Amino acid sequence: MAAAAMRDSPGATAAGAALLQGHSIEITAKDQFQLDLLQGRIPPATPIAITFLPGEDFDSRVTAARRVREAGFTPVPHISARRIHAEAELENFLEALVDTASVDRVFVVAGDLPQPTGPFEDALAVIRSGLLARYGIEQVGIAGYPEGHPAISREALDKALFDKLEALRAAGHESWIATQFGFDADPVLAWLANIRARGVDADVRIGVAGPASVKALLRFAARCGVGVSAKVMAKYGLSITQLLGSAGPGPLIDALTDGLDPRVHGDVRLHFYPFGGLEKTAEWIAARL
């Protein structure tokens, strides 16, 4: 892991500092009690996504959004369409988010359940319901999958992306795309070039994993359907024989920085998944801004 450590040092990733500007970061509702770890390490008003995990109730998600706002950041609650039991449940959630935390942006996903528990089959159904607009949500994020999805074909993913962007435009929402995390810049750059060539001009936030153990990163990668070949691991200084080591996103960010061309890839920022812990990710970001 020495190669990874060298390439992930603050000096080695200086070229990627510009890409870090305007980044966002993801937390769970339980992380609301650690927001002080972010203050002074990431800029004020940084968008903080709040995941919609099973086992966390609506009250805890709303409280997390309020605490994010009070800490000086911008709350971006997730809405998991298939985990919403009724239209009234979504309305109550949106009303509480707006009243309690002045939420004006959300991130909408289908969710990982095989079947919906209520009236919303997917993110598109939530968008087309008109509820987001009714409750004053101005910006809506949707998911992007540069490396595909283990349960959905590329054709279906592309159609869903374009359908959601069109529905958001028709409803008067600003839109952005946040991607799954990955280790390899090449499929990200190719995917970006493809959607830009097809007319997508929405901002894109590229998902990157914060510093974490290699074992943890591989576990999350397997769960998310992210490709982790031996070739890719070697490319970024990772080794499956050194699972007790740790790795950060510096090499990936450097590779993205080297390959990005605004004329081809458009407006791009980073979205951090702190698999190794919120404090480690915040410290890593602070050292490079």
Side-chain angles (χ1 to χ4, degrees):
M1 299 302 293
M6 289 175 60
R7 294 190 64 199
D8 206 43
S9 67
T13 58
L19 192 56
L20 280 167
Q21 300 300 318
H23 67 270
S24 53
I25 191 169
E26 194 154 302
I27 68 169
T28 70
K30 293 177 182 177
D31 290 328
Q32 64 183 281
F33 305 107
Q34 301 184 65
L35 291 172
D36 59 311
L37 300 175
L38 300 180
Q39 291 177 318
R41 289 175 167 142
I42 66 173
T46 293
I48 296 183
I50 304 163
T51 58
F52 198 105
L53 292 179
E56 295 179 344
D57 59 27
F58 286 99
D59 287 344
S60 64
R61 297 174 189 128
V62 171
T63 302
R66 174 177 61 79
R67 287 183 168 158
V68 167
R69 179 70 73 187
E70 290 173 348
F73 304 113
T74 302
V76 187
H78 283 204
I79 295 173
S80 182
R82 294 187 178 186
R83 294 187 182 277
I84 302 292
H85 293 87
E87 187 171 297
E89 186 175 71
L90 178 55
E91 289 199 71
N92 291 338
F93 185 40
L94 290 169
E95 183 176 27
L97 289 171
V98 172
D99 290 347
T100 304
S102 301
V103 166
D104 63 0
R105 64 189 75 180
V106 297
F107 184 79
V108 187
V109 294
D112 55 3
L113 295 177
Q115 297 296 328
T117 60
F120 302 110
E121 169 69 25
D122 51 25
L124 184 60
V126 171
I127 296 166
R128 286 178 171 168
S129 73
L131 294 177
L132 302 180
R134 185 184 305 173
Y135 284 89
I137 302 301
E138 297 175 0
Q139 299 183 31
V140 180
I142 57 176
Y145 300 92
E147 296 187 61
H149 189 287
I152 308 173
S153 71
R154 171 53 65 189
E155 293 75 16
L157 284 174
D158 287 349
K159 184 178 188 306
L161 179 71
F162 284 92
D163 286 349
K164 285 181 284 189
L165 289 171
E166 174 56 29
L168 289 170
R169 186 200 61 76
H173 297 293
E174 293 183 38
S175 60
W176 83 94
I177 302 166
T179 77
Q180 67 192 147
F181 83 97
F183 297 114
D184 193 355
D186 291 343
V188 174
L189 294 170
W191 174 81
L192 275 170
N194 178 265
I195 65 169
R196 296 309 191 195
R198 298 172 66 182
V200 174
D201 59 3
D203 289 354
V204 175
R205 293 184 175 274
I206 300 301
V208 294
S213 72
V214 175
K215 188 174 182 179
L217 292 174
L218 295 180
R219 184 175 69 250
F220 281 108
R223 185 182 304 173
C224 300
V226 173
V228 195
S229 68
K231 180 179 178 181
V232 167
M233 292 180 70
K235 185 177 180 181
Y236 293 100
L238 306 177
S239 171
I240 201 165
T241 64
Q242 296 173 308
L243 294 181
L244 296 180
S246 61
L252 173 60
I253 293 173
D254 285 347
L256 288 169
T257 301
D258 291 343
L260 283 169
D261 180 345
R263 297 167 298 179
V264 176
H265 302 108
D267 194 358
V268 177
R269 296 179 175 86
L270 298 177
H271 179 71
F272 284 89
Y273 296 93
F275 298 137
L278 203 57
E279 185 171 19
K280 282 185 179 180
T281 299
E283 287 180 344
W284 192 96
I285 295 170
R288 288 152 180 82
L289 280 176

